[in-house]
Amino acid sequence: MTEVTMTVNGKSVSRPVRGNELLVEFLREQLRLTGTHVGCDTSQCGACCVHVNGELVKACTMFAAEADGAEVATIEGMANADGSLNVIQQAFQDHHGLQCGFCTPGMVMAAAALLKDNPTPTEAEIRHYLQGNICRCTGYHNIIKAIMAASGQDAGKIAAE
Amino acid sequence: MYSFDIERPKSVADAVAALGADEAQPIAGGQTLIPTLKQRLASPSKLVALSGIEEMKYVRRDGDTLVIGGGTTHGTIARETAEHFPGLAGLAARIGDPAVRNRGTIGGSIANNDPSACYPSAALACGATIVTDKREIAADDYFQGMFMTALEEGEIVTEIRFPIPEKSAYMKFEQIASRFPLVGVFVAKFADKVGVGVTGASNDGVFRWSEAEQALGSNFAADAVSGLTAPDASDMISDLHGTGAYRAHLVGVMTKRAVAAAS
């Protein structure tokens, strides 16, 4: 076991971890932050996406020990300070950007990472950026609409498919 | 996963020392190795994580050479080489997906030499130099077949030096589920030669398509590839995603597209 210290959603945490303990296991099982989902555990689906030092990563494909000293942000830290949904989360609700909701935490974290670098992405840029996030309800259309709306753009411009 | 210890050195020297332990194995971005460990296809006693080594993360231009630290992620390379070497930036920007690009590194890709990895084709086409903690190796000598390289046990890829071509482009035909290229071709035009590196296609791993290099050397145009015989299909990978003949055909198609797109 190795002791790791990291900041998760603004709070400093220190815990012993196993060498082979994944970041997603650390978040879900040690910290009980179960909003970060494990869909595939093979780095394909993106349900486990979190931010490490501001960058989008798949928490199932990184060891907890590698996050020692890092700033980690998960879906639990995305809401506004007063507990209301942030602009991306609200847009997902408004535009029905989720059906079963399993992929949603990863989608919201990916959307947040995209909008940080590219505040007004085109539809094509959003689709390209979400290549690593799979929605098995296949609800992509409304996810794209939600992200367009969250970036202050006219979501109605996207052609129906 | 089997159980193992993990160590996170801060310098190349400390990493090399840590790799001296029995059955210790380096891990770069882990985007290939972690899935491999989950399948219990590897059982190191200790992983030496290279991700904490800041001295291996850089992109800089040195005259006509682009010098990239082995620990630099695909995402950083996509951003920081766009101005000097757009062909390489385009390659890096289309590896995997954004989250994978934020972890995976060029050193890890070059060290693993997956037969479908993207960077090895660029390294071969440009005649790059692979720098390790011990020595410098020419790309032509470095890649030695599927998952085989000139690296010795515990040797770390610390830097890759790319001669910057006048024009270049990478074109890949994606295997849509894995996003690895079914066939990928990197074309690099220099003042005195043209390099064509092919990945994903051959049972022998990445290779240079020398007939195309010669043809393009005298006429750098997509049409120059049209008259060439495709590489021997019997040497090509054949699997449920495509037959050897299909891959051999794709080599020509991707080469033409890369020449047409080169900038």
Side-chain angles (χ1 to χ4, degrees):
Chain A
M1 302 288 264
T2 330
E3 181 87 4
V4 299
T5 301
M6 65 184 92
T7 305
V8 178
N9 298 330
K11 287 185 201 140
S12 179
V13 293
S14 295
R15 296 276 197 290
V17 296
R18 305 183 317 273
N20 66 1
E21 186 163 332
L22 298 165
L23 178 59
V24 74
E25 294 173 326
F26 177 79
L27 294 170
R28 288 178 56 86
E29 292 165 25
Q30 294 226 39
L31 304 185
R32 293 286 164 193
L33 295 172
T34 55
T36 302
H37 291 168
V38 181
C40 67
D41 201 28
T42 56
S43 193
Q44 316 246 334
C45 81
C48 67
C49 279
V50 299
H51 299 179
V52 175
N53 294 326
E55 291 196 316
L56 188 71
V57 304
K58 291 181 174 175
C60 82
T61 309
M62 172 173 181
F63 291 114
E66 294 185 284
D68 189 33
E71 299 260 349
V72 177
T74 73
I75 189 69
E76 285 87 351
M78 291 300 280
N80 296 322
D82 65 1
S84 61
L85 298 180
N86 81 359
V87 65
I88 297 170
Q89 294 169 310
Q90 187 61 53
F92 269 68
Q93 187 182 74
D94 293 346
H95 294 272
H96 306 287
L98 59 155
Q99 291 179 46
C100 85
F102 195 88
C103 73
T104 310
M107 290 289 180
V108 170
M109 299 312 286
L114 167 65
L115 297 184
K116 184 164 66 77
D117 292 339
N118 184 354
T120 51
T122 64
E123 179 187 347
E125 286 170 341
I126 296 171
R127 288 186 186 276
H128 181 70
Y129 197 86
L130 291 182
Q131 274 191 334
N133 291 77
I134 295 174
C135 166
R136 285 305 71 174
C137 306
T138 69
Y140 298 104
H141 190 63
N142 286 351
I143 291 170
I144 310 297
K145 271 174 123 174
I147 297 172
M148 288 293 272
S151 59
Q153 303 184 83
D154 181 5
K157 278 196 307 195
I158 301 172
E161 284 179 17
Chain B
M1 276 181 280
Y2 293 112
S3 65
F4 47 79
D5 294 328
I6 190 162
E7 208 168 308
R8 207 158 174 252
K10 297 285 183 211
S11 70
V12 173
D14 287 352
V16 170
L19 285 167
D22 247 7
E23 291 179 33
Q25 188 174 351
I27 178 166
Q31 302 304 287
T32 301
L33 183 53
I34 293 177
T36 306
L37 289 164
K38 286 179 179 178
Q39 293 178 66
R40 296 194 165 186
L41 294 173
S43 55
S45 63
K46 179 166 78 172
L47 278 189
V48 178
L50 308 180
S51 57
I53 305 177
E54 293 302 322
E55 63 181 335
M56 276 189 5
K57 299 176 186 177
Y58 53 86
V59 175
R60 64 167 195 264
R61 186 173 182 151
D62 184 2
D64 292 334
T65 306
L66 198 72
V67 186
I68 304 178
T72 313
T73 62
H74 313 324
T76 301
I77 292 171
R79 284 189 300 274
E80 296 188 8
T81 68
E83 183 188 344
H84 302 293
F85 192 169
L88 190 69
L91 176 153
R94 284 177 289 145
I95 297 173
D97 59 57
V100 167
R101 291 195 287 274
N102 284 337
R103 291 295 299 168
T105 68
I106 188 169
S109 170
I110 294 280
N112 192 43
N113 192 19
D114 186 295
S116 296
C118 296
Y119 288 116
S121 66
L124 267 188
C126 296
T129 302
I130 317 300
V131 184
T132 76
D133 56 291
K134 295 194 180 83
R135 57 196 168 130
E136 298 179 6
I137 311 166
D140 281 330
D141 300 325
Y142 175 87
F143 299 104
Q144 301 184 348
M146 222 181 244
F147 297 111
M148 303 287 285
T149 69
L151 290 179
E152 289 164 6
E153 202 69 26
E155 196 171 1
I156 299 171
V157 175
T158 54
E159 185 177 280
I160 298 95
R161 296 184 194 143
F162 288 94
I164 302 174
E166 288 176 355
K167 283 181 167 187
S168 66
Y170 177 67
M171 280 290 153
K172 65 175 170 180
F173 192 89
E174 269 184 25
Q175 198 280 84
I176 202 70
S178 71
R179 304 201 192 292
F180 273 97
L182 203 59
V183 170
V185 176
F186 197 95
V187 170
K189 182 190 183 303
F190 293 89
D192 56 343
K193 62 172 182 176
V194 172
V196 178
V198 180
T199 189
S202 172
N203 280 316
D204 295 325
V206 66
F207 69 96
R208 281 171 60 189
W209 188 18
S210 44
E211 289 86 350
E213 291 183 348
Q214 281 165 20
L216 291 166
S218 46
N219 176 21
F220 192 74
D223 285 349
V225 182
S226 300
L228 299 178
T229 314
D232 186 356
S234 64
D235 292 337
M236 297 286 140
I237 299 167
S238 212
D239 59 20
L240 79 167
H241 304 299
T243 61
Y246 183 60
R247 280 184 165 84
H249 175 71
L250 279 180
V251 172
V253 176
M254 291 299 118
T255 303
K256 279 196 235 176
R257 288 187 189 174
V259 172
S263 62

